[in-house]
Amino acid sequence: IPNSIIVTDKFRTAENIITSSNLLDFLDKGRLFLGLSDHEEVYAVLEDDGTEVDEEEYFQLLPDETLLMILSSQQIWSPSISLQGSCIFDSTSNLFTSGQLA
């Protein structure tokens, strides 16, 4: 049964849904979508925590629309630096503020 997996790049600037029946097919299609060379060695990680998806059995267990990041061998996963909804501590007033930052 093919999986519909969402692929993104290291900078989370591009996203696409890729339907593939196995991990190698997903990596090939993801490499193509991200414009990486056929010769570029790539790997996939869970976007939210960086867990490497390197086994076919694990890939098959992923629910549809899981967000995977494809990285080249020179890249490493890093957490999203979005500050939306973050708590900010204001050291001048010793107050925590919560809200969205533009």
Side-chain angles (χ1 to χ4, degrees), residues 14-86:
E15 276 188 13
N16 193 27
I17 293 179
I18 292 180
T19 302
S20 60
S21 53
N22 62 62
L23 180 58
L24 285 177
D25 183 52
F26 171 77
L27 290 173
D28 285 342
K29 289 178 178 177
R31 181 188 292 118
L32 183 66
F33 168 69
L34 296 175
L36 299 171
S37 152
D38 288 348
H39 309 295
E40 187 88 48
E41 193 175 319
V42 295
Y43 65 105
V45 298
L46 296 178
E47 186 276 337
D48 60 352
D49 68 5
T51 300
E52 188 168 352
V53 178
D54 58 357
E55 294 179 359
E56 186 61 39
E57 295 77 20
Y58 187 42
F59 180 78
Q60 295 298 330
L61 293 173
L62 295 174
D64 275 357
E65 301 194 6
T66 296
L67 183 54
L68 290 182
M69 181 180 287
I70 290 187
L71 301 169
S72 70
S73 57
Q74 293 85 32
Q75 295 176 322
I76 58 168
W77 176 87
S78 59
S80 175
I81 54 170
S82 168
L83 293 177
Q84 278 188 305
S86 296

Side-chain angles (χ1 to χ4, degrees), residues 3-15:
N3 272 4
S4 295
I5 303 292
I6 302 171
V7 63
T8 190
D9 63 344
K10 175 173 175 44
F11 304 104
R12 297 168 176 86
T13 53
E15 276 188 13

